[in-house]
Amino acid sequence: MMPGSFPVGTCLSPAVYNMVCLVGFEVQNSIEIRSFLNEDNHVCWSQICEQVSYLPSGEELDYVESVRNLGPLCDAVHTLFMSLPNEKYEEAFHQWFQWTNNCELFLLALNSLKSLDGTKISLFLMKITSCLERSLGDAYLLIGTDCPFLLRDLLSSKELAKIFSQTVMDVLKIFLGSPQSLNLRNLLWHGFMSPHEISPKYFSMILLLTAGLGQLLQSWLSNTTMSLVHRPYFVFSNLQEIAVFPDLNEKVLSFGESLIEKSTFVLANMVPFWMEAITAFRQDRFADCAIFLLPQLETGLRLAFCTVNECPNRMLTAQSTSLYTTFDEILAKHLIDGSHNHLPGILGDPAMEFLWDMLNHQEGPRVRDHLSHGELQLCEFPKQFANELLGFSIVILYKHLEQDSFAKEDTAVLNPIIDAVESYRSRFHPIALVQKQVLQCCESLQKWELLPIPSLEHPSKTTEPQDNVDASLSFFSEIRKILSLLHLQGKKCCFTEDCSSWLQTHRWFVSITELCRQRISNLYCPRMVLEAVNILRKVSIQCHHVSENIVSTSKLRYEQWQNKTLRSRQRQNYQRLLFSIKSLAPVLRLIITIVVVDLHNIHSLSEEAHLEYQKYLKHLKCILQYTENMSTCTSPKKNRWDETIHLTNRIILKITAFNENSVAE
């Protein structure tokens, strides 16, 4: 096959296919392995670096010529590794893989290499390149701060050039670091390469380069008397939040294999990856399952994206730039030219929310980012995430079947996971996080009704202060007014006729819970909406803090009261707490009500004039300031209960004034 041509079905553009599959095979010189790997198995970097070519300017790499020159050297490395028994390979390189903090992975890689199975080689190449990236980041932090997020920026850093030398980093760039290079990591992780398009000799070369880097790093550490510290692995803390699919049983897995063969979502040359994903799940290799699935989900969604948006050229890798069609563009609202992206409408909101939850939202699992950047301990990858990804993928395969591919009774096995996708609601969008936080706060406020109250020894001496009584009456009057002014999506809320009473009953909890469980559109929220949502979340968090402060302090003081261990001043303070609760309970519930109502009305902000929007933000920040002050006043170390009444009185008046002005306008 001549340079520049490419087979039907490839996702590699002609230029990229030429670089990856042809250029490195043009020169067939035989190179003696000992010319760059001595008897002690030390890499002779000078011999490797001599093969690197630069453009006439002398500053930029000539990637094509460098790959052409390095091709025979990669052949020699591959021949060596294929001939080495496993024990000899381990003996020679075990020490030099230690710096990766995942030595076993690099030792196991030899078996995959010898299998000459493109699917297994691709899997291990994705694993070791992500691990290598993480390890290079650890090395970077020996002398730098704020490790770059992207591998190409990491390889271009002056910090790594200082440790390993610039020419060594140029060698790595040829294999991993630029869209104009072999770019093996990105081509695999973004799902552009099929199993037959990755040459095992490049896999062999990455293994040797990793060992060589370990040798250079050991020398540098010895000279500087420094020690390499590995960053801790990322640990998922939200497993229960994402678990929506039932456990995938053998019937579902077998049916999934049938779907792979017939679904238009799967490119024919990518079938082995899909099959191996299901095999890995069966074998409890959950990280492997996810690593196979994520690039193929991207490839399938890219195919759907190009089909519905009528841009078939975007299926291919870019010619010589970083402009790949990746998840970022596939899931975006608009195309690069500003036109509307039709894919979200085809997938539907639930599927889009699942993808954004799994991949993008900052407080979500961001599985692809953590896996591809080497931030996870692969052997501890949770089954739940593999189950969710595979379940979702099987449903997507089913949705892209030709009509009548299967009998209806055969597809019934998929009904539970289809229902899980179609009923999915975001767990990690900022709006969803506010809803979750509000429910937590409500549960805390419900505890107030169960707080034990002591029988006062001298009732005549513990009469509630007149200021508190007057404040409470004023609060109830203003609360009724505020609730009567609230509008839910353009209509008066009308929660109940006796608003102030409603706030203190279980009916309030039921109403707020129902509102929090209603779907609120969250795809592609404008900046102003997200800004307001962020403040609403902070308000609800602070309300929760206040409530928990009061609950914990009340329980503690009651126990001390019963045991008669309170000093005189503490008894007085406890009594002020008990009096304050009567006033604070409806006010905190009012603020939570306002948060929920505002959340449901949040999309009307995009229609607001700039001045009105700024007024609203100022209003929210006033409420936030109040809740922050209340959190401080009610903390166990402060207990400033009289001050809570004064603060509450001021915020109630401000909320009333804001709502009256809003209605008047």
Side-chain angles (χ1 to χ4, degrees):
M1 190 174 296
M2 296 298 293
S5 63
F6 63 102
V8 175
T10 184
C11 292
L12 304 178
S13 64
V16 174
Y17 182 84
N18 184 56
M19 172 68 84
V20 173
C21 300
L22 302 177
V23 172
F25 301 85
E26 292 176 352
V27 178
Q28 297 298 320
N29 294 343
S30 178
I31 294 182
E32 171 56 43
I33 190 70
R34 291 308 173 196
S35 66
F36 58 88
L37 186 68
N38 67 22
E39 295 290 343
D40 296 325
N41 295 306
H42 277 72
V43 175
C44 304
W45 281 97
S46 60
Q47 301 302 313
I48 298 176
C49 293
E50 283 182 3
Q51 307 304 316
V52 177
S53 295
Y54 296 85
L55 296 175
S57 65
E59 296 179 358
E60 296 185 20
L61 284 163
D62 185 334
Y63 289 103
V64 173
E65 191 62 26
S66 295
V67 171
R68 184 178 289 117
N69 294 341
L70 286 165
L73 193 148
C74 295
D75 288 325
V77 175
H78 184 59
T79 300
L80 169 67
F81 284 166
M82 292 296 287
S83 67
L84 278 179
N86 284 18
E87 60 273 13
K88 290 291 185 182
Y89 170 74
E90 182 173 347
E91 180 184 336
F93 299 106
H94 178 275
Q95 176 184 355
W96 309 121
F97 289 142
Q98 292 290 341
W99 77 283
T100 66
N101 201 30
N102 209 333
C103 180
E104 185 179 0
L105 174 66
F106 286 85
L107 295 177
L108 290 173
L110 186 65
N111 289 329
S112 293
L113 180 64
K114 289 182 175 180
S115 73
L116 296 180
D117 182 330
T119 307
K120 293 179 181 176
I121 287 173
S122 298
L123 171 67
F124 263 86
L125 195 48
M126 284 191 280
K127 285 182 176 181
I128 65 173
T129 53
S130 63
C131 180
L132 178 58
E133 176 182 353
R134 182 70 170 177
S135 303
L136 287 169
D138 292 337
Y140 173 97
L141 292 172
L142 286 166
I143 56 178
T145 57
D146 298 325
C147 181
F149 179 72
L150 297 177
L151 177 59
R152 67 184 180 199
D153 295 334
L154 186 60
L155 296 180
S156 297
S157 67
K158 65 181 185 300
E159 287 82 359
L160 288 186
K162 183 176 180 180
I163 294 172
F164 297 107
S165 86
Q166 184 59 59
T167 53
V168 167
M169 300 316 296
D170 286 346
V171 172
L172 289 184
K173 288 179 186 179
I174 292 164
F175 290 92
L176 304 173
S178 166
Q180 301 173 61
S181 71
L182 288 170
N183 203 19
L184 299 174
R185 176 204 176 278
N186 283 344
L187 292 178
L188 282 166
W189 272 105
H190 289 295
F192 286 110
M193 291 184 73
S194 59
H196 70 273
E197 288 173 322
I198 178 65
S199 171
K201 73 179 187 180
Y202 293 137
F203 184 18
S204 297
M205 191 63 180
I206 296 297
L207 290 175
L208 183 78
L209 294 178
T210 302
L213 291 169
Q215 293 162 4
L216 292 175
L217 181 61
Q218 185 185 69
S219 176
W220 191 86
L221 292 173
S222 297
N223 292 334
T224 59
T225 67
M226 297 181 72
S227 298
L228 180 66
V229 177
H230 294 288
R231 290 165 288 174
Y233 287 110
F234 179 84
V235 178
F236 292 112
S237 60
N238 42 22
L239 294 179
Q240 295 304 318
E241 290 294 324
I242 201 68
V244 295
F245 288 91
D247 288 341
L248 303 180
N249 56 38
E250 182 55 36
K251 288 184 179 180
V252 173
L253 297 178
S254 296
F255 196 80
E257 290 174 323
S258 302
L259 291 172
I260 291 169
E261 299 286 357
K262 296 186 177 183
S263 177
T264 59
F265 192 78
V266 180
L267 293 178
N269 56 351
M270 301 296 186
V271 166
F273 287 135
W274 283 95
M275 289 297 190
E276 279 298 315
I278 293 182
T279 298
F281 187 86
R282 282 197 180 103
Q283 297 174 350
D284 293 344
R285 295 185 289 118
F286 301 120
D288 291 356
C289 175
I291 292 171
F292 278 126
L293 281 177
L294 288 164
Q296 294 315 305
L297 267 177
E298 185 167 351
T299 298
L301 289 169
R302 186 184 300 115
L303 176 61
F305 169 91
C306 293
T307 301
V308 299
N309 291 306
E310 300 181 351
C311 51
N313 59 305
R314 301 307 302 276
M315 269 304 294
L316 301 180
T317 54
Q319 299 296 316
S320 60
T321 71
S322 58
L323 189 60
Y324 292 171
T325 306
T326 62
F327 274 132
D328 288 344
E329 185 178 357
I330 291 168
L331 302 181
K333 185 176 183 179
H334 297 104
L335 307 184
I336 290 177
D337 63 6
S339 58
H340 188 69
N341 178 10
H342 297 290
L343 182 63
I346 299 297
L347 292 177
D349 283 2
M352 286 293 295
E353 289 183 22
F354 177 88
L355 288 167
W356 273 83
D357 268 5
M358 290 295 286
L359 303 172
N360 287 358
H361 289 316
Q362 195 62 36
E363 295 187 50
R366 292 173 46 236
V367 178
R368 213 276 289 277
D369 279 351
H370 292 307
L371 268 176
S372 64
H373 293 292
E375 298 171 6
L376 299 175
Q377 179 70 283
L378 298 180
C379 63
E380 297 178 3
F381 189 85
K383 177 183 178 179
Q384 279 176 297
F385 281 152
N387 191 83
E388 303 304 301
L389 283 171
L390 185 53
F392 178 82
S393 299
I394 288 173
V395 172
I396 289 291
L397 295 179
Y398 174 73
K399 296 289 187 180
H400 286 79
L401 282 177
E402 299 291 345
Q403 286 187 348
D404 303 323
S405 296
F406 294 93
K408 187 173 182 180
E409 56 269 20
D410 294 333
T411 63
V413 68
L414 299 184
N415 287 344
I417 60 174
I418 291 173
D419 290 343
V421 171
E422 292 181 347
S423 62
Y424 187 83
R425 288 178 54 190
S426 176
R427 271 79 171 154
F428 302 106
H429 187 280
I431 287 177
L433 294 174
V434 176
Q435 291 173 309
K436 175 185 174 183
Q437 183 61 52
V438 164
L439 290 176
Q440 290 175 345
C441 185
C442 288
E443 290 174 3
S444 179
L445 289 170
Q446 289 287 92
K447 297 175 186 176
W448 289 29
E449 299 172 6
L450 304 176
L451 290 176
I453 299 176
S455 57
L456 301 179
E457 299 169 351
H458 304 288
S460 61
K461 297 182 180 180
T462 56
T463 305
E464 184 171 0
Q466 187 60 41
D467 286 350
N468 276 31
V469 175
D470 294 342
S472 295
L473 294 173
S474 174
F475 292 168
F476 284 121
S477 173
E478 294 298 321
I479 286 171
R480 281 193 290 271
K481 186 184 300 183
I482 292 167
L483 286 172
S484 70
L485 294 171
L486 289 183
H487 286 71
L488 186 62
Q489 297 172 329
K491 299 179 181 179
K492 282 196 173 183
C493 294
C494 298
F495 293 112
T496 177
E497 291 181 5
D498 187 354
C499 298
S500 56
S501 174
W502 168 73
L503 281 175
Q504 300 177 79
T505 66
H506 185 69
R507 286 177 294 159
W508 172 83
F509 180 76
V510 172
S511 298
I512 296 300
T513 300
E514 288 176 353
L515 284 174
C516 279
R517 288 177 177 164
Q518 292 177 14
R519 181 185 290 273
I520 300 175
S521 176
N522 58 54
L523 292 175
Y524 313 121
C525 291
R527 181 196 59 78
M528 63 171 58
V529 167
L530 292 177
E531 188 176 10
V533 167
N534 183 49
I535 300 176
L536 290 173
R537 186 181 178 196
K538 290 179 180 178
V539 168
S540 60
I541 289 173
Q542 292 300 325
C543 284
H544 192 191
H545 287 168
V546 172
S547 180
E548 288 299 292
N549 284 344
I550 288 176
V551 169
S552 60
T553 301
S554 294
K555 289 180 178 179
L556 174 62
R557 292 291 183 250
Y558 176 79
E559 183 179 341
Q560 292 172 328
W561 181 286
Q562 294 296 96
N563 294 332
K564 299 183 177 180
T565 57
L566 288 175
R567 297 188 301 274
S568 174
R569 186 171 180 181
Q570 289 176 323
R571 288 198 301 272
Q572 294 173 7
N573 195 275
Y574 179 34
Q575 291 169 9
R576 282 196 290 271
L577 160 62
L578 296 175
F579 293 139
S580 299
I581 286 177
K582 298 177 184 178
S583 301
L584 296 181
V587 174
L588 283 179
R589 291 187 176 207
L590 170 67
I591 290 177
I592 288 298
T593 304
I594 291 171
V595 168
V596 173
V597 170
D598 282 8
L599 199 61
H600 274 269
N601 297 335
I602 202 69
H603 289 292
S604 65
L605 287 180
S606 57
E607 304 167 5
E608 295 280 356
H610 179 71
L611 181 59
E612 296 305 312
Y613 170 67
Q614 292 302 322
K615 287 181 181 178
Y616 175 66
L617 279 192
K618 184 178 180 181
H619 166 64
L620 285 189
K621 290 175 181 177
C622 279
I623 296 177
L624 175 59
Q625 183 66 59
Y626 162 75
T627 57
E628 290 173 341
N629 290 338
M630 287 289 287
S631 182
T632 300
C633 289
T634 59
S635 66
K637 293 182 179 180
K638 298 295 183 179
N639 287 306
R640 299 205 295 259
W641 302 108
D642 291 342
E643 188 172 341
T644 63
I645 299 299
H646 298 313
L647 288 170
T648 301
N649 186 53
R650 288 202 297 268
I651 195 62
I652 285 289
L653 294 176
K654 288 182 178 180
I655 293 173
T656 304
F658 175 81
N659 283 279
E660 286 179 337
N661 290 336
S662 297
V663 171
E665 293 172 1

